[in-house]
Amino acid sequence: MKITVIGAGAWGTAVAVSAARNPAGHRVTLWARDGVQAQAMEQTRQNARYLPGIALPPSLLVRGGDEAGLRQIALESELIVVATPVAGLRGTLALLQGQGARAPVGWLCKGFEPAQNPGAARPFGLMPHEVARQAAPSLYAGALSGPSFAQEVARGQPSALVAASGQLQVRQALVEAFHSPTLRVYANDDLTGVEVGGAVKNVLAIATGLADGLSLGLNARAALITRGLAETARLGVALGARHETFMGLSGLGDLVLTATGDLSRNRRVGLLLAKGKTLNEAVQSLGHVAEGVHSARTVLQRARHLGVDMPIAECVVALLDSQLKPAEAVAALMERGPKGEVL
């Protein structure tokens, strides 16, 4: 299979490396927006900026900088994987449709698009598949998601992902491209559920990092993860997802990984805030994007519009907006009145 990965960040590079190593012998091109970065990667055979220490397979081609070149690559591809942040998805999909791409398209981003006009009739951002419906309605598309740190996938450590789309040909293409002896890929037609799980888990990871940074204990961590999963499912079901999706890899699996894993940037933000760092200081120290910082507000906007109660997300947003201090955010959650457990 001829595969093009657009976006040479850590996750885009890891996915390209994994596909290039697949025993099926895929022909993989990694396209970077920055032509200088692409040239350096091609020469050094590693992504020193975003994924240092991982050797690029000899068969992996690295290109970049020239949209005309991207057009030719996209037209020749049998699968296109978009590895931009969610804020860049709309423009990339529109570009692909405008170039006449016919291959299935999968995106790796997790989150909701920022609201285009918060004061308008639609005061919330869209999920990636809703963005695709607007920006590139003729493309066959879906998401590749699930519990996965880029470094571990690139090293070939055992991992499992979900290929989600309402279109069978997209699910089949993603499974064929990435299923391997070290990476299991499961198909799921509940694209909404998979996307909601991927967006909200980043927000909850900030909350869990905060609790761990304040040394609240393992009981608190377990409570946050469990009740956070309930919040995620409530929002997803309100958006039309199936409840059982949140018991799978893109729900429970991705939440546990991101909330507890030491490689999680979103968890790291919570840990740093607990130590008294400002949000700007925490983000600057990471060197990479922490999607939960951006997703928190967009998730909460959508939940409020639907009337979905998400108290953990509310506290995270108040913390990020400096309306609450770390200890006050914890107190706000613990002082809520008693109620029955609703999953």
Side-chain angles (χ1 to χ4, degrees):
M1 178 183 288
K2 192 167 187 178
I3 303 167
T4 297
V5 179
I6 300 174
W11 189 217
T13 303
V15 164
V17 166
S18 180
R21 289 177 179 161
N22 194 295
H26 302 312
R27 292 170 294 163
V28 185
T29 299
L30 176 60
W31 192 87
R33 181 179 60 181
D34 184 343
V36 175
Q37 180 196 7
Q39 186 176 23
M41 289 174 62
E42 183 67 26
Q43 291 175 347
T44 64
R45 302 309 297 170
Q46 70 166 318
N47 188 338
R49 181 177 180 183
Y50 292 111
L51 204 62
I54 302 295
L56 302 182
S59 62
L60 177 61
L61 298 178
V62 183
R63 299 290 183 266
D66 180 7
E67 284 193 0
L70 175 60
R71 179 179 188 276
Q72 187 60 36
I73 293 170
L75 288 175
E76 295 174 354
S77 296
E78 297 171 273
L79 174 67
I80 301 170
V81 179
V82 179
T84 66
V86 68
L89 181 64
R90 180 180 293 272
T92 304
L93 293 179
L95 177 67
L96 291 173
Q97 178 169 276
Q99 292 171 341
R102 292 292 179 264
V105 176
W107 47 78
L108 306 179
C109 55
K110 299 175 181 179
F112 290 3
E113 182 185 57
Q116 299 295 305
N117 185 355
R122 178 173 63 76
F124 54 82
L126 301 179
M127 290 179 285
H129 78 271
E130 294 172 325
V131 172
R133 192 181 301 149
Q134 284 189 353
S138 69
L139 294 180
Y140 292 94
L144 186 67
S145 191
S148 48
F149 288 138
Q151 294 95 322
E152 294 188 2
V153 170
R155 293 188 192 116
Q157 294 177 264
S159 305
L161 298 175
V162 177
S165 176
Q167 297 156 327
L168 177 61
Q169 61 266 53
V170 178
R171 300 195 300 270
Q172 289 178 332
L174 289 169
V175 171
E176 180 183 348
F178 296 106
H179 194 87
S180 74
T182 60
L183 182 62
R184 292 192 60 81
V185 183
Y186 294 83
N188 191 326
D189 63 358
D190 184 10
L191 181 54
T192 296
V194 167
E195 289 187 334
V196 170
V200 183
K201 60 95 181 182
N202 286 326
V203 183
L204 301 173
I206 294 176
T208 310
L210 177 70
D212 287 346
L214 293 173
S215 299
L216 298 184
L218 299 178
N219 293 348
R221 179 197 288 183
L224 275 171
I225 290 174
T226 306
R227 296 313 303 162
L229 183 62
E231 288 191 16
T232 306
R234 283 200 298 270
L235 177 60
V237 170
L239 287 165
R242 296 194 300 267
H243 191 278
E244 59 266 27
T245 299
F246 301 101
M247 300 300 110
L249 288 167
S250 61
L252 178 61
D254 211 353
L255 173 57
V256 169
L257 179 75
T258 312
T260 66
D262 290 336
L263 293 175
S264 168
R265 295 190 295 272
N266 294 285
R267 169 178 161 77
R268 183 65 180 162
V269 168
L271 289 168
L272 291 171
L273 292 175
K275 294 182 182 301
K277 299 291 187 182
T278 67
L279 177 59
N280 185 60
E281 289 171 340
V283 171
Q284 289 296 322
S285 72
L286 296 176
H288 294 263
V289 174
E291 289 288 0
V293 173
H294 305 293
S295 296
R297 298 177 184 85
T298 56
V299 165
L300 192 56
Q301 286 171 347
R302 198 67 183 263
R304 287 172 173 171
H305 181 77
L306 293 168
V308 175
D309 186 31
M310 299 187 72
I312 300 175
E314 291 269 7
C315 285
V316 170
V317 171
L319 179 69
L320 297 178
D321 289 344
S322 299
Q323 297 173 355
L324 290 177
K325 295 179 180 178
E328 292 171 339
V330 174
L333 289 173
M334 295 305 297
E335 291 172 0
R336 286 167 52 86
K339 59 185 296 187
E341 184 180 32
V342 178
L343 301 178

